[in-house]
Amino acid sequence: MKANIVIIGGGISGVAIAYNLAKKGMKDIVVFDDNYMTGGATGRCGAGVRQQWGTKGNCIMAKMSVDFFETAQEELQYHRDIEFKQEGYLIVATNKEEDEQFAKNVILQNSVGIPAKQLSLEEALEIVPHLNKDIVTSATFCNTDGHLNPFLMTDAYYHAAKRLGVKFFYNEKVTDIIVENSKITKVITKNYEVITNKVVNAAGGFSYEVGQLAGVELPVYSENHEILVTEPIEKIQGPMVISFSKNIYCQQVPHGSFIMGRSDLDVERGHDIGSTHKFLDEMAKTAVNLLPPLGDLRVIRQWGGSYNVSPDRQPIIGDTDQLEGYYLAVGFSGHGFMFAPMTGLLVSEVILGLPTTIDITDLHIDRFKNNETTEYEHSVV
Amino acid sequence: MRIKNHPILEFKKQSTINFTFDGKSVEGVSGDTIASALHNLGIRKLSHSIKDKRARGFYCAIGNCASCNMIVDGVPNVRTCVVLLEEGMAVETQENKGVLYERT
Ligand SMILES: Cc1cc2nc3c(=O)[nH]c(=O)nc-3n(C[C@H](O)[C@H](O)[C@H](O)COP(=O)(O)OP(=O)(O)OC[C@H]3O[C@@H](n4cnc5c(N)ncnc54)[C@H](O)[C@@H]3O)c2cc1C
Ligand code: FES
């Protein structure tokens, strides 16, 4: 087989890149994924979409991605609703430092056109009446944030890309990338040998290993993040509720279930994506503390997935001077789902040598070269 | 509906428990779960499917399937097959996914 480009990884990043490349006219695009569709982080994520970030780069990526999600069903001509529920993110503060930091964040967010605002406790309670009044001090809210269905969104991109001629292979692991005279010549998988000189690493939790296949060193690692879902009930919560200090995000999906997660601060780096009792215990306590009525809900299922973490918790997007023809869409650090429309657009522009829609200097791997401090994203769970 | 005579087992007469089902006064016996008491009364439809509202009844009987979810004393989504019947309980058919707020 011959291809103009091989995309390794068919998660939300891979399918978005494939679609954007095909839409811009590129032919013979091949996507390999070692799993079933959405078997990576994409099918395991909270799929929250928020624009209330603490760095300008993340704010812009998120805002432009939301603009896409709003019209995605139409643009991708998908036959189903992608369940984009735009009822906002309520980010709650529980101490003075957060009150102050959030005030700064809102100024930054407003400066790039994100309609976030700071709320008093009373105003926050009007939006989510079941918040625990005793621990929340203030909040910020952006009404165009929300969440959508990651399975449907990936499928929508997949079908649109397929109609434009992209070839997808699932359960097909890339085992080697052949480099001769500093040029990529071949991609080897379980069943195929593909002649190509361009590769995209969109391998999520395994992006470090897929870098190694071509001798490209990436400053990323993976860690397990757990999440759970409850039985459904009638709607009581519009927005995603999130707290960095309490370490929780919690949303009610259109079906009625609550989906919630938090980080394990002691988690070891690696590829484990198992489920622990520790998480179940801590998650339940945290959720009931912040949103007391949820204590009456039963947990139906819990699972884990990989965060692929970069040194400043912002994605690594673009090419690399380590190897010609090797492109990166990695290190999303737990928020790559919501950025995928921009990931797809920007990576396709870099590959085709077009001017990029936004400046990607702050997202390029070269930002880690000098000891220059890059802007660190603190607003993460 | 109750087995009274069995070739090997012996069933002692149990005391009566009064409760209401959708507002009507009815009876079960001590040792009943809510669902077994309703079953004895000939009530087969305990809940319905969320989307198409099709009838759902006594199914797994071990608290696993949610097919017997009802509102008990105002609490929605109670697995009636694994909750023992108590004197004076108000058992109601649940028309929706359950409203959490009414309790708090
Ligand atoms: C619990 C949890 C909650 C999250 N919540 C959110 C959220 O609310 N909002 C948000 O935006 N993001 C969230 N994320 C992060 C988000 O899931 C990821 O950033 C995003 O899905 C990454 O997509 P991806 O396509 O880059 O990676 P993936 O979806 O992981 O896809 C990578 C694919 O590469 C394949 N692959 C790997 N190695 C090979 C190989 N050698 N050959 C072939 N294929 C290979 C894998 O099979 C996989 O399917 C969350 C993540 C987790 C785990
Ligand atoms: S019948 Fe299955 S949970 Fe009660």
mmCIF file with all atom_site columns, all heavy atoms in Angstrom, chain B residues 5-25:
data_model
loop_
_atom_site.group_PDB
_atom_site.id
_atom_site.type_symbol
_atom_site.label_atom_id
_atom_site.label_alt_id
_atom_site.label_comp_id
_atom_site.label_asym_id
_atom_site.label_entity_id
_atom_site.label_seq_id
_atom_site.pdbx_PDB_ins_code
_atom_site.Cartn_x
_atom_site.Cartn_y
_atom_site.Cartn_z
_atom_site.occupancy
_atom_site.B_iso_or_equiv
_atom_site.pdbx_formal_charge
_atom_site.auth_seq_id
_atom_site.auth_comp_id
_atom_site.auth_asym_id
_atom_site.auth_atom_id
_atom_site.pdbx_PDB_model_num
ATOM 1   N N   . ASN B 1 5  ? -49.135 -24.803 51.185 1.00 0.00 ? 5  ASN B N   1
ATOM 2   C CA  . ASN B 1 5  ? -48.783 -26.170 51.547 1.00 0.00 ? 5  ASN B CA  1
ATOM 3   C C   . ASN B 1 5  ? -47.654 -26.656 50.667 1.00 0.00 ? 5  ASN B C   1
ATOM 4   O O   . ASN B 1 5  ? -47.725 -26.546 49.446 1.00 0.00 ? 5  ASN B O   1
ATOM 5   C CB  . ASN B 1 5  ? -50.007 -27.083 51.361 1.00 0.00 ? 5  ASN B CB  1
ATOM 6   C CG  . ASN B 1 5  ? -51.156 -26.585 52.203 1.00 0.00 ? 5  ASN B CG  1
ATOM 7   O OD1 . ASN B 1 5  ? -50.989 -26.355 53.393 1.00 0.00 ? 5  ASN B OD1 1
ATOM 8   N ND2 . ASN B 1 5  ? -52.301 -26.367 51.576 1.00 0.00 ? 5  ASN B ND2 1
ATOM 9   N N   . HIS B 1 6  ? -46.657 -27.168 51.279 1.00 0.00 ? 6  HIS B N   1
ATOM 10  C CA  . HIS B 1 6  ? -45.486 -27.637 50.535 1.00 0.00 ? 6  HIS B CA  1
ATOM 11  C C   . HIS B 1 6  ? -45.128 -29.006 51.094 1.00 0.00 ? 6  HIS B C   1
ATOM 12  O O   . HIS B 1 6  ? -45.225 -29.221 52.308 1.00 0.00 ? 6  HIS B O   1
ATOM 13  C CB  . HIS B 1 6  ? -44.344 -26.624 50.750 1.00 0.00 ? 6  HIS B CB  1
ATOM 14  C CG  . HIS B 1 6  ? -43.167 -26.867 49.878 1.00 0.00 ? 6  HIS B CG  1
ATOM 15  N ND1 . HIS B 1 6  ? -42.190 -27.780 50.201 1.00 0.00 ? 6  HIS B ND1 1
ATOM 16  C CD2 . HIS B 1 6  ? -42.800 -26.320 48.701 1.00 0.00 ? 6  HIS B CD2 1
ATOM 17  C CE1 . HIS B 1 6  ? -41.273 -27.779 49.256 1.00 0.00 ? 6  HIS B CE1 1
ATOM 18  N NE2 . HIS B 1 6  ? -41.622 -26.892 48.321 1.00 0.00 ? 6  HIS B NE2 1
ATOM 19  N N   . PRO B 1 7  ? -44.740 -29.955 50.228 1.00 0.00 ? 7  PRO B N   1
ATOM 20  C CA  . PRO B 1 7  ? -44.499 -31.305 50.728 1.00 0.00 ? 7  PRO B CA  1
ATOM 21  C C   . PRO B 1 7  ? -43.367 -31.387 51.760 1.00 0.00 ? 7  PRO B C   1
ATOM 22  O O   . PRO B 1 7  ? -43.365 -32.272 52.606 1.00 0.00 ? 7  PRO B O   1
ATOM 23  C CB  . PRO B 1 7  ? -44.140 -32.097 49.476 1.00 0.00 ? 7  PRO B CB  1
ATOM 24  C CG  . PRO B 1 7  ? -43.952 -31.127 48.392 1.00 0.00 ? 7  PRO B CG  1
ATOM 25  C CD  . PRO B 1 7  ? -44.655 -29.869 48.778 1.00 0.00 ? 7  PRO B CD  1
ATOM 26  N N   . ILE B 1 8  ? -42.424 -30.477 51.685 1.00 0.00 ? 8  ILE B N   1
ATOM 27  C CA  . ILE B 1 8  ? -41.303 -30.579 52.613 1.00 0.00 ? 8  ILE B CA  1
ATOM 28  C C   . ILE B 1 8  ? -41.262 -29.390 53.575 1.00 0.00 ? 8  ILE B C   1
ATOM 29  O O   . ILE B 1 8  ? -41.161 -29.557 54.777 1.00 0.00 ? 8  ILE B O   1
ATOM 30  C CB  . ILE B 1 8  ? -39.964 -30.674 51.851 1.00 0.00 ? 8  ILE B CB  1
ATOM 31  C CG1 . ILE B 1 8  ? -39.959 -31.959 51.016 1.00 0.00 ? 8  ILE B CG1 1
ATOM 32  C CG2 . ILE B 1 8  ? -38.773 -30.641 52.808 1.00 0.00 ? 8  ILE B CG2 1
ATOM 33  C CD1 . ILE B 1 8  ? -38.958 -31.963 49.910 1.00 0.00 ? 8  ILE B CD1 1
ATOM 34  N N   . LEU B 1 9  ? -41.358 -28.179 52.990 1.00 0.00 ? 9  LEU B N   1
ATOM 35  C CA  . LEU B 1 9  ? -41.240 -26.988 53.837 1.00 0.00 ? 9  LEU B CA  1
ATOM 36  C C   . LEU B 1 9  ? -42.550 -26.685 54.545 1.00 0.00 ? 9  LEU B C   1
ATOM 37  O O   . LEU B 1 9  ? -43.627 -27.003 54.050 1.00 0.00 ? 9  LEU B O   1
ATOM 38  C CB  . LEU B 1 9  ? -40.843 -25.775 52.988 1.00 0.00 ? 9  LEU B CB  1
ATOM 39  C CG  . LEU B 1 9  ? -39.527 -25.908 52.220 1.00 0.00 ? 9  LEU B CG  1
ATOM 40  C CD1 . LEU B 1 9  ? -39.358 -24.732 51.286 1.00 0.00 ? 9  LEU B CD1 1
ATOM 41  C CD2 . LEU B 1 9  ? -38.355 -26.017 53.183 1.00 0.00 ? 9  LEU B CD2 1
ATOM 42  N N   . GLU B 1 10 ? -42.359 -26.018 55.647 1.00 0.00 ? 10 GLU B N   1
ATOM 43  C CA  . GLU B 1 10 ? -43.546 -25.642 56.409 1.00 0.00 ? 10 GLU B CA  1
ATOM 44  C C   . GLU B 1 10 ? -43.569 -24.120 56.502 1.00 0.00 ? 10 GLU B C   1
ATOM 45  O O   . GLU B 1 10 ? -42.554 -23.486 56.796 1.00 0.00 ? 10 GLU B O   1
ATOM 46  C CB  . GLU B 1 10 ? -43.425 -26.236 57.816 1.00 0.00 ? 10 GLU B CB  1
ATOM 47  C CG  . GLU B 1 10 ? -44.729 -26.294 58.563 1.00 0.00 ? 10 GLU B CG  1
ATOM 48  C CD  . GLU B 1 10 ? -44.481 -26.727 59.997 1.00 0.00 ? 10 GLU B CD  1
ATOM 49  O OE1 . GLU B 1 10 ? -43.715 -27.724 60.181 1.00 0.00 ? 10 GLU B OE1 1
ATOM 50  O OE2 . GLU B 1 10 ? -44.986 -26.067 60.907 1.00 0.00 ? 10 GLU B OE2 1
ATOM 51  N N   . PHE B 1 11 ? -44.697 -23.503 56.147 1.00 0.00 ? 11 PHE B N   1
ATOM 52  C CA  . PHE B 1 11 ? -44.791 -22.049 56.253 1.00 0.00 ? 11 PHE B CA  1
ATOM 53  C C   . PHE B 1 11 ? -45.667 -21.673 57.427 1.00 0.00 ? 11 PHE B C   1
ATOM 54  O O   . PHE B 1 11 ? -46.858 -21.952 57.435 1.00 0.00 ? 11 PHE B O   1
ATOM 55  C CB  . PHE B 1 11 ? -45.367 -21.465 54.954 1.00 0.00 ? 11 PHE B CB  1
ATOM 56  C CG  . PHE B 1 11 ? -44.474 -21.709 53.761 1.00 0.00 ? 11 PHE B CG  1
ATOM 57  C CD1 . PHE B 1 11 ? -44.814 -22.629 52.784 1.00 0.00 ? 11 PHE B CD1 1
ATOM 58  C CD2 . PHE B 1 11 ? -43.265 -21.021 53.637 1.00 0.00 ? 11 PHE B CD2 1
ATOM 59  C CE1 . PHE B 1 11 ? -43.989 -22.846 51.700 1.00 0.00 ? 11 PHE B CE1 1
ATOM 60  C CE2 . PHE B 1 11 ? -42.428 -21.241 52.555 1.00 0.00 ? 11 PHE B CE2 1
ATOM 61  C CZ  . PHE B 1 11 ? -42.789 -22.158 51.584 1.00 0.00 ? 11 PHE B CZ  1
ATOM 62  N N   . LYS B 1 12 ? -45.055 -21.015 58.362 1.00 0.00 ? 12 LYS B N   1
ATOM 63  C CA  . LYS B 1 12 ? -45.830 -20.552 59.514 1.00 0.00 ? 12 LYS B CA  1
ATOM 64  C C   . LYS B 1 12 ? -46.645 -19.333 59.105 1.00 0.00 ? 12 LYS B C   1
ATOM 65  O O   . LYS B 1 12 ? -46.240 -18.586 58.214 1.00 0.00 ? 12 LYS B O   1
ATOM 66  C CB  . LYS B 1 12 ? -44.877 -20.147 60.650 1.00 0.00 ? 12 LYS B CB  1
ATOM 67  C CG  . LYS B 1 12 ? -44.103 -21.297 61.223 1.00 0.00 ? 12 LYS B CG  1
ATOM 68  C CD  . LYS B 1 12 ? -43.780 -21.041 62.699 1.00 0.00 ? 12 LYS B CD  1
ATOM 69  C CE  . LYS B 1 12 ? -42.982 -22.199 63.259 1.00 0.00 ? 12 LYS B CE  1
ATOM 70  N NZ  . LYS B 1 12 ? -41.538 -22.114 62.822 1.00 0.00 ? 12 LYS B NZ  1
ATOM 71  N N   . LYS B 1 13 ? -47.729 -19.105 59.758 1.00 0.00 ? 13 LYS B N   1
ATOM 72  C CA  . LYS B 1 13 ? -48.547 -17.937 59.445 1.00 0.00 ? 13 LYS B CA  1
ATOM 73  C C   . LYS B 1 13 ? -47.808 -16.674 59.906 1.00 0.00 ? 13 LYS B C   1
ATOM 74  O O   . LYS B 1 13 ? -47.322 -16.594 61.037 1.00 0.00 ? 13 LYS B O   1
ATOM 75  C CB  . LYS B 1 13 ? -49.891 -18.047 60.163 1.00 0.00 ? 13 LYS B CB  1
ATOM 76  C CG  . LYS B 1 13 ? -50.866 -16.978 59.711 1.00 0.00 ? 13 LYS B CG  1
ATOM 77  C CD  . LYS B 1 13 ? -52.291 -17.306 60.097 1.00 0.00 ? 13 LYS B CD  1
ATOM 78  C CE  . LYS B 1 13 ? -53.224 -16.096 60.014 1.00 0.00 ? 13 LYS B CE  1
ATOM 79  N NZ  . LYS B 1 13 ? -52.996 -15.158 58.967 1.00 0.00 ? 13 LYS B NZ  1
ATOM 80  N N   . GLN B 1 14 ? -47.662 -15.715 58.953 1.00 0.00 ? 14 GLN B N   1
ATOM 81  C CA  . GLN B 1 14 ? -46.946 -14.492 59.317 1.00 0.00 ? 14 GLN B CA  1
ATOM 82  C C   . GLN B 1 14 ? -47.913 -13.364 59.636 1.00 0.00 ? 14 GLN B C   1
ATOM 83  O O   . GLN B 1 14 ? -49.054 -13.374 59.176 1.00 0.00 ? 14 GLN B O   1
ATOM 84  C CB  . GLN B 1 14 ? -46.033 -14.062 58.161 1.00 0.00 ? 14 GLN B CB  1
ATOM 85  C CG  . GLN B 1 14 ? -44.811 -14.946 58.037 1.00 0.00 ? 14 GLN B CG  1
ATOM 86  C CD  . GLN B 1 14 ? -44.682 -15.516 56.643 1.00 0.00 ? 14 GLN B CD  1
ATOM 87  O OE1 . GLN B 1 14 ? -45.693 -15.903 56.047 1.00 0.00 ? 14 GLN B OE1 1
ATOM 88  N NE2 . GLN B 1 14 ? -43.465 -15.574 56.164 1.00 0.00 ? 14 GLN B NE2 1
ATOM 89  N N   . SER B 1 15 ? -47.380 -12.368 60.347 1.00 0.00 ? 15 SER B N   1
ATOM 90  C CA  . SER B 1 15 ? -48.254 -11.242 60.702 1.00 0.00 ? 15 SER B CA  1
ATOM 91  C C   . SER B 1 15 ? -48.487 -10.343 59.480 1.00 0.00 ? 15 SER B C   1
ATOM 92  O O   . SER B 1 15 ? -47.653 -10.268 58.577 1.00 0.00 ? 15 SER B O   1
ATOM 93  C CB  . SER B 1 15 ? -47.627 -10.452 61.839 1.00 0.00 ? 15 SER B CB  1
ATOM 94  O OG  . SER B 1 15 ? -46.330 -10.069 61.446 1.00 0.00 ? 15 SER B OG  1
ATOM 95  N N   . THR B 1 16 ? -49.598 -9.651  59.481 1.00 0.00 ? 16 THR B N   1
ATOM 96  C CA  . THR B 1 16 ? -49.989 -8.798  58.356 1.00 0.00 ? 16 THR B CA  1
ATOM 97  C C   . THR B 1 16 ? -49.265 -7.452  58.427 1.00 0.00 ? 16 THR B C   1
ATOM 98  O O   . THR B 1 16 ? -49.050 -6.912  59.514 1.00 0.00 ? 16 THR B O   1
ATOM 99  C CB  . THR B 1 16 ? -51.506 -8.558  58.417 1.00 0.00 ? 16 THR B CB  1
ATOM 100 O OG1 . THR B 1 16 ? -52.151 -9.828  58.409 1.00 0.00 ? 16 THR B OG1 1
ATOM 101 C CG2 . THR B 1 16 ? -51.997 -7.718  57.254 1.00 0.00 ? 16 THR B CG2 1
ATOM 102 N N   . ILE B 1 17 ? -48.878 -6.950  57.261 1.00 0.00 ? 17 ILE B N   1
ATOM 103 C CA  . ILE B 1 17 ? -48.299 -5.596  57.190 1.00 0.00 ? 17 ILE B CA  1
ATOM 104 C C   . ILE B 1 17 ? -49.187 -4.752  56.277 1.00 0.00 ? 17 ILE B C   1
ATOM 105 O O   . ILE B 1 17 ? -49.480 -5.154  55.150 1.00 0.00 ? 17 ILE B O   1
ATOM 106 C CB  . ILE B 1 17 ? -46.860 -5.638  56.638 1.00 0.00 ? 17 ILE B CB  1
ATOM 107 C CG1 . ILE B 1 17 ? -45.944 -6.369  57.635 1.00 0.00 ? 17 ILE B CG1 1
ATOM 108 C CG2 . ILE B 1 17 ? -46.347 -4.232  56.365 1.00 0.00 ? 17 ILE B CG2 1
ATOM 109 C CD1 . ILE B 1 17 ? -44.500 -6.427  57.217 1.00 0.00 ? 17 ILE B CD1 1
ATOM 110 N N   . ASN B 1 18 ? -49.614 -3.619  56.748 1.00 0.00 ? 18 ASN B N   1
ATOM 111 C CA  . ASN B 1 18 ? -50.451 -2.719  55.943 1.00 0.00 ? 18 ASN B CA  1
ATOM 112 C C   . ASN B 1 18 ? -49.564 -1.697  55.248 1.00 0.00 ? 18 ASN B C   1
ATOM 113 O O   . ASN B 1 18 ? -48.668 -1.117  55.863 1.00 0.00 ? 18 ASN B O   1
ATOM 114 C CB  . ASN B 1 18 ? -51.449 -1.985  56.836 1.00 0.00 ? 18 ASN B CB  1
ATOM 115 C CG  . ASN B 1 18 ? -52.378 -2.959  57.518 1.00 0.00 ? 18 ASN B CG  1
ATOM 116 O OD1 . ASN B 1 18 ? -53.173 -3.634  56.878 1.00 0.00 ? 18 ASN B OD1 1
ATOM 117 N ND2 . ASN B 1 18 ? -52.237 -3.078  58.833 1.00 0.00 ? 18 ASN B ND2 1
ATOM 118 N N   . PHE B 1 19 ? -49.837 -1.478  53.959 1.00 0.00 ? 19 PHE B N   1
ATOM 119 C CA  . PHE B 1 19 ? -49.121 -0.416  53.234 1.00 0.00 ? 19 PHE B CA  1
ATOM 120 C C   . PHE B 1 19 ? -50.030 0.103   52.136 1.00 0.00 ? 19 PHE B C   1
ATOM 121 O O   . PHE B 1 19 ? -51.157 -0.382  51.979 1.00 0.00 ? 19 PHE B O   1
ATOM 122 C CB  . PHE B 1 19 ? -47.786 -0.948  52.694 1.00 0.00 ? 19 PHE B CB  1
ATOM 123 C CG  . PHE B 1 19 ? -47.878 -1.963  51.568 1.00 0.00 ? 19 PHE B CG  1
ATOM 124 C CD1 . PHE B 1 19 ? -47.560 -1.604  50.252 1.00 0.00 ? 19 PHE B CD1 1
ATOM 125 C CD2 . PHE B 1 19 ? -48.273 -3.276  51.816 1.00 0.00 ? 19 PHE B CD2 1
ATOM 126 C CE1 . PHE B 1 19 ? -47.612 -2.532  49.225 1.00 0.00 ? 19 PHE B CE1 1
ATOM 127 C CE2 . PHE B 1 19 ? -48.330 -4.216  50.778 1.00 0.00 ? 19 PHE B CE2 1
ATOM 128 C CZ  . PHE B 1 19 ? -48.000 -3.841  49.492 1.00 0.00 ? 19 PHE B CZ  1
ATOM 129 N N   . THR B 1 20 ? -49.581 1.131   51.417 1.00 0.00 ? 20 THR B N   1
ATOM 130 C CA  . THR B 1 20 ? -50.413 1.626   50.315 1.00 0.00 ? 20 THR B CA  1
ATOM 131 C C   . THR B 1 20 ? -49.664 1.446   49.009 1.00 0.00 ? 20 THR B C   1
ATOM 132 O O   . THR B 1 20 ? -48.429 1.568   48.936 1.00 0.00 ? 20 THR B O   1
ATOM 133 C CB  . THR B 1 20 ? -50.767 3.121   50.479 1.00 0.00 ? 20 THR B CB  1
ATOM 134 O OG1 . THR B 1 20 ? -49.559 3.885   50.468 1.00 0.00 ? 20 THR B OG1 1
ATOM 135 C CG2 . THR B 1 20 ? -51.529 3.369   51.779 1.00 0.00 ? 20 THR B CG2 1
ATOM 136 N N   . PHE B 1 21 ? -50.440 1.144   47.962 1.00 0.00 ? 21 PHE B N   1
ATOM 137 C CA  . PHE B 1 21 ? -49.889 1.065   46.607 1.00 0.00 ? 21 PHE B CA  1
ATOM 138 C C   . PHE B 1 21 ? -50.674 2.055   45.748 1.00 0.00 ? 21 PHE B C   1
ATOM 139 O O   . PHE B 1 21 ? -51.901 1.913   45.607 1.00 0.00 ? 21 PHE B O   1
ATOM 140 C CB  . PHE B 1 21 ? -50.035 -0.366  46.061 1.00 0.00 ? 21 PHE B CB  1
ATOM 141 C CG  . PHE B 1 21 ? -49.767 -0.446  44.577 1.00 0.00 ? 21 PHE B CG  1
ATOM 142 C CD1 . PHE B 1 21 ? -48.522 -0.149  44.063 1.00 0.00 ? 21 PHE B CD1 1
ATOM 143 C CD2 . PHE B 1 21 ? -50.790 -0.780  43.683 1.00 0.00 ? 21 PHE B CD2 1
ATOM 144 C CE1 . PHE B 1 21 ? -48.274 -0.194  42.702 1.00 0.00 ? 21 PHE B CE1 1
ATOM 145 C CE2 . PHE B 1 21 ? -50.542 -0.840  42.316 1.00 0.00 ? 21 PHE B CE2 1
ATOM 146 C CZ  . PHE B 1 21 ? -49.288 -0.536  41.821 1.00 0.00 ? 21 PHE B CZ  1
ATOM 147 N N   . ASP B 1 22 ? -49.995 3.042   45.241 1.00 0.00 ? 22 ASP B N   1
ATOM 148 C CA  . ASP B 1 22 ? -50.631 4.128   44.486 1.00 0.00 ? 22 ASP B CA  1
ATOM 149 C C   . ASP B 1 22 ? -51.872 4.640   45.225 1.00 0.00 ? 22 ASP B C   1
ATOM 150 O O   . ASP B 1 22 ? -52.937 4.839   44.632 1.00 0.00 ? 22 ASP B O   1
ATOM 151 C CB  . ASP B 1 22 ? -50.974 3.674   43.061 1.00 0.00 ? 22 ASP B CB  1
ATOM 152 C CG  . ASP B 1 22 ? -49.735 3.650   42.162 1.00 0.00 ? 22 ASP B CG  1
ATOM 153 O OD1 . ASP B 1 22 ? -48.729 4.289   42.535 1.00 0.00 ? 22 ASP B OD1 1
ATOM 154 O OD2 . ASP B 1 22 ? -49.764 2.982   41.116 1.00 0.00 ? 22 ASP B OD2 1
ATOM 155 N N   . GLY B 1 23 ? -51.747 4.800   46.511 1.00 0.00 ? 23 GLY B N   1
ATOM 156 C CA  . GLY B 1 23 ? -52.809 5.412   47.315 1.00 0.00 ? 23 GLY B CA  1
ATOM 157 C C   . GLY B 1 23 ? -53.828 4.437   47.883 1.00 0.00 ? 23 GLY B C   1
ATOM 158 O O   . GLY B 1 23 ? -54.564 4.770   48.803 1.00 0.00 ? 23 GLY B O   1
ATOM 159 N N   . LYS B 1 24 ? -53.873 3.196   47.352 1.00 0.00 ? 24 LYS B N   1
ATOM 160 C CA  . LYS B 1 24 ? -54.859 2.236   47.869 1.00 0.00 ? 24 LYS B CA  1
ATOM 161 C C   . LYS B 1 24 ? -54.268 1.471   49.053 1.00 0.00 ? 24 LYS B C   1
ATOM 162 O O   . LYS B 1 24 ? -53.108 1.074   49.025 1.00 0.00 ? 24 LYS B O   1
ATOM 163 C CB  . LYS B 1 24 ? -55.229 1.219   46.774 1.00 0.00 ? 24 LYS B CB  1
ATOM 164 C CG  . LYS B 1 24 ? -56.007 1.809   45.613 1.00 0.00 ? 24 LYS B CG  1
ATOM 165 C CD  . LYS B 1 24 ? -56.446 0.727   44.633 1.00 0.00 ? 24 LYS B CD  1
ATOM 166 C CE  . LYS B 1 24 ? -55.272 0.041   43.904 1.00 0.00 ? 24 LYS B CE  1
ATOM 167 N NZ  . LYS B 1 24 ? -54.680 0.854   42.830 1.00 0.00 ? 24 LYS B NZ  1
ATOM 168 N N   . SER B 1 25 ? -55.084 1.210   50.068 1.00 0.00 ? 25 SER B N   1
ATOM 169 C CA  . SER B 1 25 ? -54.600 0.423   51.213 1.00 0.00 ? 25 SER B CA  1
ATOM 170 C C   . SER B 1 25 ? -54.571 -1.050  50.833 1.00 0.00 ? 25 SER B C   1
ATOM 171 O O   . SER B 1 25 ? -55.563 -1.590  50.331 1.00 0.00 ? 25 SER B O   1
ATOM 172 C CB  . SER B 1 25 ? -55.542 0.602   52.404 1.00 0.00 ? 25 SER B CB  1
ATOM 173 O OG  . SER B 1 25 ? -55.511 1.946   52.804 1.00 0.00 ? 25 SER B OG  1
#
